[in-house]
Amino acid sequence: EEGKRLLWEGKIDLLLTNTHQEDDWGSFRCLSFGEHEARVIVSLLHPWAIRDQITAEDMRRETFLKMDVGSEHYRVPAAQSFYENIPCRDVFPVTNFDTLYALLQQGNAFAVFPLAFVNMDRAKIKSFPFPGRTFLYHTALIFNPNNELKGLNQITEEIREEFDLKEISVTT
């Protein structure tokens, strides 16, 4: 969120971050370096850790650790938003990923995010496919095509060509 704010205020020119199809980037361009499926994540201390799969009904009986972002963050109505409709017993909002991860490690709740966010060699977590729906994140380079920085569009076009990046549609 901080990176997004700085980009919108024109204090930074480029942002490399993880984004998804519900994020509102307005008129900014997003070039995708890769897709990552959102997964249901639990600590190895959680009772689900011994399972091979989970269901939406399992999720309805547990607490969901949700990143606390404003409704203006998404370009879809709350009724259609993936994160506003996670089946769960309770929602526990957290303000940053470090807090989310610390709470997750207690083994009393689950989170939903792509594995691109964690170092799987050291993470003591287990992940499951989200029951019934695929939701994709992109590691993306985001920039304002109308930025006055000389050569920015040429630089981003060369990056797009060099890495054969596809553009993510972000029009509202």
Side-chain angles (χ1 to χ4, degrees), residues 38-42 44 51-54 113 115 120 125-130:
R39 310 266 301 177
V40 177
I41 310 294
V42 295
L44 292 180
R51 295 186 180 185
D52 293 328
Q53 64 183 11
I54 60 161
F113 56 83
L115 296 181
M120 290 304 294
I125 61 171
K126 182 163 184 180
S127 74
F128 301 93
F130 191 90

PDB file of all heavy atoms in Angstrom, residues 38-42 44 51-54 113 115 120 125-130:
ATOM      1  N   ALA A  38      -3.165 -17.817  -5.760  1.00  0.00           N
ATOM      2  CA  ALA A  38      -3.432 -17.603  -4.340  1.00  0.00           C
ATOM      3  C   ALA A  38      -3.741 -18.954  -3.708  1.00  0.00           C
ATOM      4  O   ALA A  38      -4.469 -19.762  -4.285  1.00  0.00           O
ATOM      5  CB  ALA A  38      -4.604 -16.648  -4.141  1.00  0.00           C
ATOM      6  N   ARG A  39      -3.162 -19.209  -2.557  1.00  0.00           N
ATOM      7  CA  ARG A  39      -3.322 -20.485  -1.874  1.00  0.00           C
ATOM      8  C   ARG A  39      -3.816 -20.240  -0.450  1.00  0.00           C
ATOM      9  O   ARG A  39      -3.595 -19.174   0.120  1.00  0.00           O
ATOM     10  CB  ARG A  39      -1.977 -21.215  -1.803  1.00  0.00           C
ATOM     11  CG  ARG A  39      -1.232 -21.331  -3.113  1.00  0.00           C
ATOM     12  CD  ARG A  39      -1.465 -22.569  -3.858  1.00  0.00           C
ATOM     13  NE  ARG A  39      -1.104 -23.752  -3.081  1.00  0.00           N
ATOM     14  CZ  ARG A  39      -1.285 -24.981  -3.533  1.00  0.00           C
ATOM     15  NH1 ARG A  39      -1.791 -25.176  -4.726  1.00  0.00           N
ATOM     16  NH2 ARG A  39      -0.974 -26.017  -2.808  1.00  0.00           N
ATOM     17  N   VAL A  40      -4.461 -21.238   0.125  1.00  0.00           N
ATOM     18  CA  VAL A  40      -4.825 -21.201   1.538  1.00  0.00           C
ATOM     19  C   VAL A  40      -3.589 -21.663   2.306  1.00  0.00           C
ATOM     20  O   VAL A  40      -3.039 -22.725   2.022  1.00  0.00           O
ATOM     21  CB  VAL A  40      -6.030 -22.122   1.827  1.00  0.00           C
ATOM     22  CG1 VAL A  40      -6.352 -22.127   3.311  1.00  0.00           C
ATOM     23  CG2 VAL A  40      -7.242 -21.690   1.011  1.00  0.00           C
ATOM     24  N   ILE A  41      -3.151 -20.853   3.259  1.00  0.00           N
ATOM     25  CA  ILE A  41      -1.895 -21.090   3.972  1.00  0.00           C
ATOM     26  C   ILE A  41      -2.173 -21.304   5.461  1.00  0.00           C
ATOM     27  O   ILE A  41      -2.936 -20.545   6.067  1.00  0.00           O
ATOM     28  CB  ILE A  41      -0.947 -19.873   3.829  1.00  0.00           C
ATOM     29  CG1 ILE A  41      -0.805 -19.433   2.376  1.00  0.00           C
ATOM     30  CG2 ILE A  41       0.395 -20.157   4.492  1.00  0.00           C
ATOM     31  CD1 ILE A  41      -0.132 -20.401   1.467  1.00  0.00           C
ATOM     32  N   VAL A  42      -1.532 -22.329   6.023  1.00  0.00           N
ATOM     33  CA  VAL A  42      -1.594 -22.555   7.469  1.00  0.00           C
ATOM     34  C   VAL A  42      -0.199 -22.876   7.987  1.00  0.00           C
ATOM     35  O   VAL A  42       0.676 -23.318   7.236  1.00  0.00           O
ATOM     36  CB  VAL A  42      -2.559 -23.702   7.862  1.00  0.00           C
ATOM     37  CG1 VAL A  42      -3.996 -23.352   7.522  1.00  0.00           C
ATOM     38  CG2 VAL A  42      -2.156 -25.015   7.239  1.00  0.00           C
ATOM     39  N   LEU A  44       2.465 -25.109  10.171  1.00  0.00           N
ATOM     40  CA  LEU A  44       2.608 -26.552  10.399  1.00  0.00           C
ATOM     41  C   LEU A  44       2.056 -26.960  11.758  1.00  0.00           C
ATOM     42  O   LEU A  44       1.882 -28.150  12.027  1.00  0.00           O
ATOM     43  CB  LEU A  44       4.068 -26.971  10.254  1.00  0.00           C
ATOM     44  CG  LEU A  44       4.640 -26.874   8.845  1.00  0.00           C
ATOM     45  CD1 LEU A  44       6.098 -27.325   8.830  1.00  0.00           C
ATOM     46  CD2 LEU A  44       3.816 -27.663   7.843  1.00  0.00           C
ATOM     47  N   ARG A  51      -3.384 -32.765   6.631  1.00  0.00           N
ATOM     48  CA  ARG A  51      -4.315 -33.083   5.542  1.00  0.00           C
ATOM     49  C   ARG A  51      -3.667 -32.924   4.171  1.00  0.00           C
ATOM     50  O   ARG A  51      -2.687 -32.210   4.008  1.00  0.00           O
ATOM     51  CB  ARG A  51      -5.533 -32.174   5.596  1.00  0.00           C
ATOM     52  CG  ARG A  51      -6.380 -32.369   6.814  1.00  0.00           C
ATOM     53  CD  ARG A  51      -7.600 -31.515   6.653  1.00  0.00           C
ATOM     54  NE  ARG A  51      -8.482 -31.622   7.787  1.00  0.00           N
ATOM     55  CZ  ARG A  51      -9.661 -31.043   7.831  1.00  0.00           C
ATOM     56  NH1 ARG A  51     -10.081 -30.321   6.816  1.00  0.00           N
ATOM     57  NH2 ARG A  51     -10.418 -31.179   8.882  1.00  0.00           N
ATOM     58  N   ASP A  52      -4.326 -33.537   3.179  1.00  0.00           N
ATOM     59  CA  ASP A  52      -3.916 -33.369   1.785  1.00  0.00           C
ATOM     60  C   ASP A  52      -4.730 -32.289   1.084  1.00  0.00           C
ATOM     61  O   ASP A  52      -4.298 -31.753   0.070  1.00  0.00           O
ATOM     62  CB  ASP A  52      -4.062 -34.688   1.019  1.00  0.00           C
ATOM     63  CG  ASP A  52      -3.094 -35.745   1.506  1.00  0.00           C
ATOM     64  OD1 ASP A  52      -1.982 -35.380   1.941  1.00  0.00           O
ATOM     65  OD2 ASP A  52      -3.452 -36.931   1.464  1.00  0.00           O
ATOM     66  N   GLN A  53      -5.926 -32.009   1.599  1.00  0.00           N
ATOM     67  CA  GLN A  53      -6.779 -30.988   1.005  1.00  0.00           C
ATOM     68  C   GLN A  53      -7.742 -30.446   2.050  1.00  0.00           C
ATOM     69  O   GLN A  53      -7.929 -31.049   3.103  1.00  0.00           O
ATOM     70  CB  GLN A  53      -7.568 -31.542  -0.180  1.00  0.00           C
ATOM     71  CG  GLN A  53      -8.546 -32.645   0.194  1.00  0.00           C
ATOM     72  CD  GLN A  53      -9.255 -33.202  -1.029  1.00  0.00           C
ATOM     73  OE1 GLN A  53      -8.893 -32.921  -2.159  1.00  0.00           O
ATOM     74  NE2 GLN A  53     -10.271 -34.007  -0.806  1.00  0.00           N
ATOM     75  N   ILE A  54      -8.341 -29.289   1.731  1.00  0.00           N
ATOM     76  CA  ILE A  54      -9.361 -28.706   2.596  1.00  0.00           C
ATOM     77  C   ILE A  54     -10.550 -28.305   1.737  1.00  0.00           C
ATOM     78  O   ILE A  54     -10.454 -28.232   0.515  1.00  0.00           O
ATOM     79  CB  ILE A  54      -8.832 -27.479   3.373  1.00  0.00           C
ATOM     80  CG1 ILE A  54      -8.366 -26.403   2.394  1.00  0.00           C
ATOM     81  CG2 ILE A  54      -7.737 -27.870   4.341  1.00  0.00           C
ATOM     82  CD1 ILE A  54      -8.263 -25.047   3.020  1.00  0.00           C
ATOM     83  N   PHE A 113      -2.807 -16.198   0.296  1.00  0.00           N
ATOM     84  CA  PHE A 113      -1.876 -15.394  -0.487  1.00  0.00           C
ATOM     85  C   PHE A 113      -1.064 -16.311  -1.383  1.00  0.00           C
ATOM     86  O   PHE A 113      -1.059 -17.525  -1.191  1.00  0.00           O
ATOM     87  CB  PHE A 113      -0.983 -14.510   0.403  1.00  0.00           C
ATOM     88  CG  PHE A 113      -0.199 -15.232   1.449  1.00  0.00           C
ATOM     89  CD1 PHE A 113       1.013 -15.840   1.164  1.00  0.00           C
ATOM     90  CD2 PHE A 113      -0.662 -15.284   2.760  1.00  0.00           C
ATOM     91  CE1 PHE A 113       1.747 -16.485   2.135  1.00  0.00           C
ATOM     92  CE2 PHE A 113       0.072 -15.936   3.742  1.00  0.00           C
ATOM     93  CZ  PHE A 113       1.278 -16.531   3.420  1.00  0.00           C
ATOM     94  N   LEU A 115       2.262 -18.153  -2.943  1.00  0.00           N
ATOM     95  CA  LEU A 115       3.520 -18.624  -2.379  1.00  0.00           C
ATOM     96  C   LEU A 115       4.693 -17.753  -2.801  1.00  0.00           C
ATOM     97  O   LEU A 115       5.768 -17.861  -2.226  1.00  0.00           O
ATOM     98  CB  LEU A 115       3.763 -20.081  -2.751  1.00  0.00           C
ATOM     99  CG  LEU A 115       2.739 -21.055  -2.166  1.00  0.00           C
ATOM    100  CD1 LEU A 115       3.066 -22.483  -2.575  1.00  0.00           C
ATOM    101  CD2 LEU A 115       2.664 -20.936  -0.661  1.00  0.00           C
ATOM    102  N   MET A 120       9.900 -20.623   0.693  1.00  0.00           N
ATOM    103  CA  MET A 120       9.400 -21.935   1.068  1.00  0.00           C
ATOM    104  C   MET A 120      10.454 -22.817   1.737  1.00  0.00           C
ATOM    105  O   MET A 120      10.116 -23.738   2.456  1.00  0.00           O
ATOM    106  CB  MET A 120       8.817 -22.651  -0.154  1.00  0.00           C
ATOM    107  CG  MET A 120       7.532 -22.021  -0.646  1.00  0.00           C
ATOM    108  SD  MET A 120       6.260 -21.919   0.636  1.00  0.00           S
ATOM    109  CE  MET A 120       5.931 -23.646   0.914  1.00  0.00           C
ATOM    110  N   ILE A 125       5.139 -23.619   6.804  1.00  0.00           N
ATOM    111  CA  ILE A 125       3.739 -23.531   6.431  1.00  0.00           C
ATOM    112  C   ILE A 125       3.376 -24.667   5.477  1.00  0.00           C
ATOM    113  O   ILE A 125       4.238 -25.316   4.902  1.00  0.00           O
ATOM    114  CB  ILE A 125       3.412 -22.192   5.735  1.00  0.00           C
ATOM    115  CG1 ILE A 125       4.231 -22.046   4.453  1.00  0.00           C
ATOM    116  CG2 ILE A 125       3.618 -21.028   6.683  1.00  0.00           C
ATOM    117  CD1 ILE A 125       3.826 -20.862   3.598  1.00  0.00           C
ATOM    118  N   LYS A 126       2.080 -24.850   5.351  1.00  0.00           N
ATOM    119  CA  LYS A 126       1.544 -25.765   4.347  1.00  0.00           C
ATOM    120  C   LYS A 126       0.514 -24.981   3.555  1.00  0.00           C
ATOM    121  O   LYS A 126      -0.211 -24.150   4.115  1.00  0.00           O
ATOM    122  CB  LYS A 126       0.912 -26.984   4.996  1.00  0.00           C
ATOM    123  CG  LYS A 126       0.392 -27.979   3.970  1.00  0.00           C
ATOM    124  CD  LYS A 126       0.140 -29.326   4.549  1.00  0.00           C
ATOM    125  CE  LYS A 126      -0.281 -30.280   3.435  1.00  0.00           C
ATOM    126  NZ  LYS A 126      -0.534 -31.614   3.972  1.00  0.00           N
ATOM    127  N   SER A 127       0.441 -25.262   2.264  1.00  0.00           N
ATOM    128  CA  SER A 127      -0.525 -24.546   1.427  1.00  0.00           C
ATOM    129  C   SER A 127      -1.470 -25.531   0.756  1.00  0.00           C
ATOM    130  O   SER A 127      -1.114 -26.679   0.511  1.00  0.00           O
ATOM    131  CB  SER A 127       0.197 -23.704   0.382  1.00  0.00           C
ATOM    132  OG  SER A 127       0.732 -24.526  -0.628  1.00  0.00           O
ATOM    133  N   PHE A 128      -2.654 -25.033   0.462  1.00  0.00           N
ATOM    134  CA  PHE A 128      -3.689 -25.806  -0.211  1.00  0.00           C
ATOM    135  C   PHE A 128      -4.265 -24.967  -1.347  1.00  0.00           C
ATOM    136  O   PHE A 128      -4.356 -23.743  -1.223  1.00  0.00           O
ATOM    137  CB  PHE A 128      -4.848 -26.121   0.753  1.00  0.00           C
ATOM    138  CG  PHE A 128      -4.451 -26.894   1.966  1.00  0.00           C
ATOM    139  CD1 PHE A 128      -4.118 -26.240   3.140  1.00  0.00           C
ATOM    140  CD2 PHE A 128      -4.414 -28.280   1.952  1.00  0.00           C
ATOM    141  CE1 PHE A 128      -3.754 -26.935   4.280  1.00  0.00           C
ATOM    142  CE2 PHE A 128      -4.050 -28.986   3.080  1.00  0.00           C
ATOM    143  CZ  PHE A 128      -3.719 -28.316   4.248  1.00  0.00           C
ATOM    144  N   PRO A 129      -4.711 -25.613  -2.417  1.00  0.00           N
ATOM    145  CA  PRO A 129      -5.447 -24.855  -3.435  1.00  0.00           C
ATOM    146  C   PRO A 129      -6.704 -24.253  -2.806  1.00  0.00           C
ATOM    147  O   PRO A 129      -7.308 -24.850  -1.914  1.00  0.00           O
ATOM    148  CB  PRO A 129      -5.829 -25.911  -4.479  1.00  0.00           C
ATOM    149  CG  PRO A 129      -4.926 -27.075  -4.218  1.00  0.00           C
ATOM    150  CD  PRO A 129      -4.584 -27.029  -2.761  1.00  0.00           C
ATOM    151  N   PHE A 130      -7.070 -23.072  -3.253  1.00  0.00           N
ATOM    152  CA  PHE A 130      -8.297 -22.466  -2.756  1.00  0.00           C
ATOM    153  C   PHE A 130      -9.466 -23.275  -3.295  1.00  0.00           C
ATOM    154  O   PHE A 130      -9.572 -23.481  -4.503  1.00  0.00           O
ATOM    155  CB  PHE A 130      -8.401 -21.002  -3.202  1.00  0.00           C
ATOM    156  CG  PHE A 130      -9.490 -20.264  -2.501  1.00  0.00           C
ATOM    157  CD1 PHE A 130      -9.227 -19.605  -1.315  1.00  0.00           C
ATOM    158  CD2 PHE A 130     -10.780 -20.248  -3.000  1.00  0.00           C
ATOM    159  CE1 PHE A 130     -10.232 -18.924  -0.637  1.00  0.00           C
ATOM    160  CE2 PHE A 130     -11.793 -19.579  -2.337  1.00  0.00           C
ATOM    161  CZ  PHE A 130     -11.517 -18.913  -1.153  1.00  0.00           C
TER     162      PHE A 130
END
